[in-house]
């Protein structure tokens, strides 16, 4: 039997978004090693100052894409009826982001969480969960209403595909 104090501590931890982000998700680091995700200073600053619309002017390799994907995955796993998406400038890049930064961390979650919120649809571009939350990626996400949207490499999208950039902006 679980002691009441231990149960309460676990309940408090799982209700803390910051704790979940820093303790539940595994990623592959820059050296290709599986490691527990922990927010770095830049990710922590974004998390602490997040608003409904955030434009990130960034230097390379600060882990914003990784953080945002895990943030959206956590929202989808721990909340029902969430729709999240990522737009990238190419479908291959979108699928790579999805595979490495959404699907891999989901697959590494503790078995109890994956059992409680299992995947009901899994493709190269979408993860649909049993709690009716989903994350999808593409080069355009026109249909549906998203609570969370990440537009990756918008500057590159504007430079290489100006018509698609106009569509994303609308």
């Amino acid at each position: 039997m679980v002691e009441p104090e231990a149960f309460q501590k676990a309940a408090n931890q799982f209700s803390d978004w910051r704790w979940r982000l820093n303790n539940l998700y595994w990623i592959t680091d820059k050296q290709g090693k599986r490691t527990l995700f922990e927010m770095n200073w830049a990710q922590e600053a974004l998390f602490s100052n997040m608003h409904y619309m955030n434009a990130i002017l960034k230097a390379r390799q600060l882990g914003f894409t990784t953080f945002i994907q895990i943030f959206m995955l956590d929202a989808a796993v721990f909340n029902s009826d969430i729709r999240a998406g990522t737009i990238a400038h190419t479908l291959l890049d979108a699928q790579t982001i999805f595979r490495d930064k959404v699907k891999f961390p989901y697959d590494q979650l503790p078995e109890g969480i994956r059992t409680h919120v299992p995947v009901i649809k899994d493709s190269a571009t979408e993860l649909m969960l049993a709690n009716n939350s989903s994350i999808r990626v593409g080069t355009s996400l026109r249909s549906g209403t998203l609570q969370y949207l990440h537009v990756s490499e918008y500057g590159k999208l504007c430079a290489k595909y100006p018509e698609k950039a106009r569509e994303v902006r609308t």
Side-chain angles (χ1 to χ4, degrees), residues 114-131:
R114 287 182 287 118
T115 299
H116 186 71
V117 187
V119 172
I120 59 172
K121 180 182 177 189
D122 183 1
S123 71
T125 59
E126 183 178 25
L127 190 68
M128 181 74 178
L129 303 173
N131 65 358

PDB file of all heavy atoms in Angstrom, residues 114-131:
ATOM      1  N   ARG A 114       2.087   5.763 -20.316  1.00  0.00           N
ATOM      2  CA  ARG A 114       1.717   5.308 -21.665  1.00  0.00           C
ATOM      3  C   ARG A 114       0.513   4.370 -21.625  1.00  0.00           C
ATOM      4  O   ARG A 114      -0.307   4.375 -22.536  1.00  0.00           O
ATOM      5  CB  ARG A 114       2.898   4.632 -22.350  1.00  0.00           C
ATOM      6  CG  ARG A 114       3.961   5.632 -22.772  1.00  0.00           C
ATOM      7  CD  ARG A 114       5.131   4.995 -23.511  1.00  0.00           C
ATOM      8  NE  ARG A 114       5.954   4.254 -22.566  1.00  0.00           N
ATOM      9  CZ  ARG A 114       6.178   2.951 -22.606  1.00  0.00           C
ATOM     10  NH1 ARG A 114       5.668   2.206 -23.567  1.00  0.00           N
ATOM     11  NH2 ARG A 114       6.933   2.366 -21.702  1.00  0.00           N
ATOM     12  N   THR A 115       0.364   3.612 -20.557  1.00  0.00           N
ATOM     13  CA  THR A 115      -0.799   2.735 -20.408  1.00  0.00           C
ATOM     14  C   THR A 115      -2.059   3.558 -20.150  1.00  0.00           C
ATOM     15  O   THR A 115      -3.125   3.264 -20.686  1.00  0.00           O
ATOM     16  CB  THR A 115      -0.576   1.738 -19.253  1.00  0.00           C
ATOM     17  OG1 THR A 115       0.561   0.937 -19.569  1.00  0.00           O
ATOM     18  CG2 THR A 115      -1.794   0.846 -19.042  1.00  0.00           C
ATOM     19  N   HIS A 116      -1.920   4.603 -19.351  1.00  0.00           N
ATOM     20  CA  HIS A 116      -3.068   5.464 -19.014  1.00  0.00           C
ATOM     21  C   HIS A 116      -3.485   6.342 -20.200  1.00  0.00           C
ATOM     22  O   HIS A 116      -4.674   6.625 -20.387  1.00  0.00           O
ATOM     23  CB  HIS A 116      -2.725   6.335 -17.806  1.00  0.00           C
ATOM     24  CG  HIS A 116      -3.869   7.135 -17.306  1.00  0.00           C
ATOM     25  ND1 HIS A 116      -4.955   6.588 -16.662  1.00  0.00           N
ATOM     26  CD2 HIS A 116      -4.119   8.473 -17.376  1.00  0.00           C
ATOM     27  CE1 HIS A 116      -5.816   7.533 -16.351  1.00  0.00           C
ATOM     28  NE2 HIS A 116      -5.337   8.686 -16.772  1.00  0.00           N
ATOM     29  N   VAL A 117      -2.512   6.792 -21.017  1.00  0.00           N
ATOM     30  CA  VAL A 117      -2.795   7.632 -22.182  1.00  0.00           C
ATOM     31  C   VAL A 117      -2.104   7.003 -23.398  1.00  0.00           C
ATOM     32  O   VAL A 117      -1.081   7.488 -23.876  1.00  0.00           O
ATOM     33  CB  VAL A 117      -2.303   9.089 -21.984  1.00  0.00           C
ATOM     34  CG1 VAL A 117      -2.768   9.978 -23.127  1.00  0.00           C
ATOM     35  CG2 VAL A 117      -2.762   9.657 -20.665  1.00  0.00           C
ATOM     36  N   PRO A 118      -2.685   5.908 -23.904  1.00  0.00           N
ATOM     37  CA  PRO A 118      -2.041   5.218 -25.024  1.00  0.00           C
ATOM     38  C   PRO A 118      -2.253   5.932 -26.357  1.00  0.00           C
ATOM     39  O   PRO A 118      -3.150   6.764 -26.507  1.00  0.00           O
ATOM     40  CB  PRO A 118      -2.734   3.851 -25.033  1.00  0.00           C
ATOM     41  CG  PRO A 118      -4.098   4.122 -24.471  1.00  0.00           C
ATOM     42  CD  PRO A 118      -3.883   5.214 -23.437  1.00  0.00           C
ATOM     43  N   VAL A 119      -1.423   5.567 -27.300  1.00  0.00           N
ATOM     44  CA  VAL A 119      -1.544   6.060 -28.670  1.00  0.00           C
ATOM     45  C   VAL A 119      -2.646   5.285 -29.366  1.00  0.00           C
ATOM     46  O   VAL A 119      -2.694   4.056 -29.297  1.00  0.00           O
ATOM     47  CB  VAL A 119      -0.199   5.868 -29.424  1.00  0.00           C
ATOM     48  CG1 VAL A 119      -0.355   6.192 -30.898  1.00  0.00           C
ATOM     49  CG2 VAL A 119       0.889   6.701 -28.790  1.00  0.00           C
ATOM     50  N   ILE A 120      -3.546   5.999 -30.049  1.00  0.00           N
ATOM     51  CA  ILE A 120      -4.572   5.316 -30.832  1.00  0.00           C
ATOM     52  C   ILE A 120      -4.337   5.489 -32.337  1.00  0.00           C
ATOM     53  O   ILE A 120      -4.907   4.765 -33.134  1.00  0.00           O
ATOM     54  CB  ILE A 120      -6.004   5.733 -30.439  1.00  0.00           C
ATOM     55  CG1 ILE A 120      -6.221   7.230 -30.626  1.00  0.00           C
ATOM     56  CG2 ILE A 120      -6.303   5.317 -29.008  1.00  0.00           C
ATOM     57  CD1 ILE A 120      -7.663   7.667 -30.438  1.00  0.00           C
ATOM     58  N   LYS A 121      -3.516   6.465 -32.720  1.00  0.00           N
ATOM     59  CA  LYS A 121      -3.125   6.636 -34.115  1.00  0.00           C
ATOM     60  C   LYS A 121      -1.684   7.109 -34.132  1.00  0.00           C
ATOM     61  O   LYS A 121      -1.337   8.075 -33.458  1.00  0.00           O
ATOM     62  CB  LYS A 121      -4.011   7.646 -34.839  1.00  0.00           C
ATOM     63  CG  LYS A 121      -3.627   7.850 -36.292  1.00  0.00           C
ATOM     64  CD  LYS A 121      -4.488   8.902 -36.973  1.00  0.00           C
ATOM     65  CE  LYS A 121      -4.008   9.104 -38.410  1.00  0.00           C
ATOM     66  NZ  LYS A 121      -4.670  10.236 -39.030  1.00  0.00           N
ATOM     67  N   ASP A 122      -0.872   6.422 -34.911  1.00  0.00           N
ATOM     68  CA  ASP A 122       0.548   6.739 -34.973  1.00  0.00           C
ATOM     69  C   ASP A 122       0.980   6.681 -36.433  1.00  0.00           C
ATOM     70  O   ASP A 122       0.878   5.651 -37.069  1.00  0.00           O
ATOM     71  CB  ASP A 122       1.331   5.723 -34.140  1.00  0.00           C
ATOM     72  CG  ASP A 122       2.813   6.006 -34.079  1.00  0.00           C
ATOM     73  OD1 ASP A 122       3.264   7.006 -34.663  1.00  0.00           O
ATOM     74  OD2 ASP A 122       3.524   5.214 -33.438  1.00  0.00           O
ATOM     75  N   SER A 123       1.406   7.815 -36.960  1.00  0.00           N
ATOM     76  CA  SER A 123       1.912   7.856 -38.332  1.00  0.00           C
ATOM     77  C   SER A 123       3.190   8.678 -38.338  1.00  0.00           C
ATOM     78  O   SER A 123       3.656   9.112 -37.294  1.00  0.00           O
ATOM     79  CB  SER A 123       0.867   8.459 -39.275  1.00  0.00           C
ATOM     80  OG  SER A 123       0.731   9.848 -39.032  1.00  0.00           O
ATOM     81  N   ALA A 124       3.723   8.928 -39.493  1.00  0.00           N
ATOM     82  CA  ALA A 124       4.943   9.735 -39.606  1.00  0.00           C
ATOM     83  C   ALA A 124       4.679  11.205 -39.339  1.00  0.00           C
ATOM     84  O   ALA A 124       5.618  11.984 -39.173  1.00  0.00           O
ATOM     85  CB  ALA A 124       5.564   9.553 -40.985  1.00  0.00           C
ATOM     86  N   THR A 125       3.390  11.594 -39.282  1.00  0.00           N
ATOM     87  CA  THR A 125       3.069  13.009 -39.096  1.00  0.00           C
ATOM     88  C   THR A 125       2.066  13.284 -37.972  1.00  0.00           C
ATOM     89  O   THR A 125       1.755  14.450 -37.714  1.00  0.00           O
ATOM     90  CB  THR A 125       2.500  13.613 -40.398  1.00  0.00           C
ATOM     91  OG1 THR A 125       1.322  12.893 -40.765  1.00  0.00           O
ATOM     92  CG2 THR A 125       3.521  13.575 -41.523  1.00  0.00           C
ATOM     93  N   GLU A 126       1.554  12.248 -37.312  1.00  0.00           N
ATOM     94  CA  GLU A 126       0.555  12.499 -36.268  1.00  0.00           C
ATOM     95  C   GLU A 126       0.605  11.447 -35.178  1.00  0.00           C
ATOM     96  O   GLU A 126       0.774  10.260 -35.444  1.00  0.00           O
ATOM     97  CB  GLU A 126      -0.859  12.540 -36.850  1.00  0.00           C
ATOM     98  CG  GLU A 126      -1.909  12.872 -35.812  1.00  0.00           C
ATOM     99  CD  GLU A 126      -3.315  12.972 -36.372  1.00  0.00           C
ATOM    100  OE1 GLU A 126      -3.604  12.365 -37.411  1.00  0.00           O
ATOM    101  OE2 GLU A 126      -4.125  13.679 -35.749  1.00  0.00           O
ATOM    102  N   LEU A 127       0.418  11.916 -33.943  1.00  0.00           N
ATOM    103  CA  LEU A 127       0.268  11.062 -32.783  1.00  0.00           C
ATOM    104  C   LEU A 127      -1.065  11.438 -32.144  1.00  0.00           C
ATOM    105  O   LEU A 127      -1.237  12.563 -31.682  1.00  0.00           O
ATOM    106  CB  LEU A 127       1.421  11.320 -31.803  1.00  0.00           C
ATOM    107  CG  LEU A 127       1.593  10.374 -30.632  1.00  0.00           C
ATOM    108  CD1 LEU A 127       2.036   9.001 -31.132  1.00  0.00           C
ATOM    109  CD2 LEU A 127       2.627  10.932 -29.665  1.00  0.00           C
ATOM    110  N   MET A 128      -2.015  10.518 -32.187  1.00  0.00           N
ATOM    111  CA  MET A 128      -3.332  10.737 -31.581  1.00  0.00           C
ATOM    112  C   MET A 128      -3.416   9.880 -30.334  1.00  0.00           C
ATOM    113  O   MET A 128      -3.143   8.685 -30.378  1.00  0.00           O
ATOM    114  CB  MET A 128      -4.441  10.354 -32.567  1.00  0.00           C
ATOM    115  CG  MET A 128      -5.832  10.575 -32.052  1.00  0.00           C
ATOM    116  SD  MET A 128      -6.203  12.331 -32.053  1.00  0.00           S
ATOM    117  CE  MET A 128      -7.866  12.326 -31.466  1.00  0.00           C
ATOM    118  N   LEU A 129      -3.780  10.502 -29.211  1.00  0.00           N
ATOM    119  CA  LEU A 129      -3.816   9.813 -27.933  1.00  0.00           C
ATOM    120  C   LEU A 129      -5.246   9.467 -27.536  1.00  0.00           C
ATOM    121  O   LEU A 129      -6.199  10.081 -28.015  1.00  0.00           O
ATOM    122  CB  LEU A 129      -3.162  10.686 -26.858  1.00  0.00           C
ATOM    123  CG  LEU A 129      -1.719  11.111 -27.160  1.00  0.00           C
ATOM    124  CD1 LEU A 129      -1.228  12.110 -26.113  1.00  0.00           C
ATOM    125  CD2 LEU A 129      -0.805   9.909 -27.237  1.00  0.00           C
ATOM    126  N   ALA A 130      -5.374   8.519 -26.631  1.00  0.00           N
ATOM    127  CA  ALA A 130      -6.693   8.046 -26.194  1.00  0.00           C
ATOM    128  C   ALA A 130      -7.487   9.121 -25.461  1.00  0.00           C
ATOM    129  O   ALA A 130      -8.704   9.003 -25.348  1.00  0.00           O
ATOM    130  CB  ALA A 130      -6.538   6.812 -25.307  1.00  0.00           C
ATOM    131  N   ASN A 131      -6.831  10.167 -24.978  1.00  0.00           N
ATOM    132  CA  ASN A 131      -7.546  11.253 -24.294  1.00  0.00           C
ATOM    133  C   ASN A 131      -8.040  12.320 -25.285  1.00  0.00           C
ATOM    134  O   ASN A 131      -8.418  13.406 -24.892  1.00  0.00           O
ATOM    135  CB  ASN A 131      -6.667  11.889 -23.213  1.00  0.00           C
ATOM    136  CG  ASN A 131      -5.452  12.598 -23.778  1.00  0.00           C
ATOM    137  OD1 ASN A 131      -5.212  12.605 -24.983  1.00  0.00           O
ATOM    138  ND2 ASN A 131      -4.659  13.187 -22.892  1.00  0.00           N
TER     139      ASN A 131
END
